Amino acid sequence: MACFVVPAVEAVVVTAAYLAARKSEQKIQTPKLADGNRFASDEVKITWSKRLSWLMGLLWGGVLLLAFEHFWHGEVVPFPPFLTAMATPEDTAEMLHEMATVGVSMAVSVTAVWGVICAVAEAKVKAIRNSLKKSEA
């Protein structure tokens, strides 16, 4: 019924964190011109804004897909109260239970998958760093 609301709230929070991280990184990182049009990079790394953009994409994609699916099945309507489960107190209690169980588990599992993605990406970056050090030596 409304299980997509919990990941949607997480997606809003992650979007705000992404925007703040991107703004902070833009202030900190001023490009250093090495020669010509090439930028000197002290270290190969994945920024937090890039990692948060991955989580943001996973969350917003899932939220939009689930919202469309719920709309398709008539559980979300384009007029108040928007969620058909809010029509009666019994349905509202069932909806809140679904949000607390299914919605939270979806948000946690998407975040866990994102954590694995970040760990794999960091391992690959570390391997690239090591190969660059070996080629320089």
Side-chain angles (χ1 to χ4, degrees):
M1 285 180 247
C3 57
F4 66 93
V5 173
V6 176
V9 170
E10 183 184 2
V12 169
V13 171
V14 168
T15 301
Y18 163 76
L19 293 173
R22 189 177 71 180
K23 187 174 184 179
S24 173
E25 289 167 1
Q26 285 174 348
K27 285 182 182 178
I28 293 172
Q29 296 174 350
T30 56
K32 301 174 187 175
L33 289 177
D35 57 79
N37 292 328
R38 298 186 63 209
F39 291 103
S41 177
D42 297 335
E43 189 177 316
V44 178
K45 65 179 180 179
I46 301 173
T47 61
W48 268 106
S49 63
K50 185 66 171 172
R51 293 174 191 206
L52 288 173
S53 72
W54 298 339
L55 179 57
M56 206 171 57
L58 290 170
L59 288 169
W60 281 120
V63 166
L64 292 174
L65 185 65
L66 281 170
F68 176 75
E69 187 270 334
H70 286 306
F71 180 75
W72 187 267
H73 290 279
E75 296 167 350
V76 176
V77 291
F79 48 84
F82 302 111
L83 298 170
T84 56
M86 294 176 65
T88 65
E90 295 82 20
D91 288 342
T92 303
E94 182 183 341
M95 177 191 70
L96 292 174
H97 181 264
E98 180 183 336
M99 287 171 62
T101 55
V102 177
V104 169
S105 64
M106 284 190 316
V108 167
S109 63
V110 168
T111 306
V113 167
W114 169 74
V116 170
I117 290 170
C118 287
V120 168
E122 188 61 36
K124 288 190 177 233
V125 167
K126 188 175 181 180
I128 291 170
R129 251 188 251 135
N130 290 339
S131 69
L132 287 175
K133 286 180 183 178
K134 286 179 183 176
S135 67
E136 288 176 1

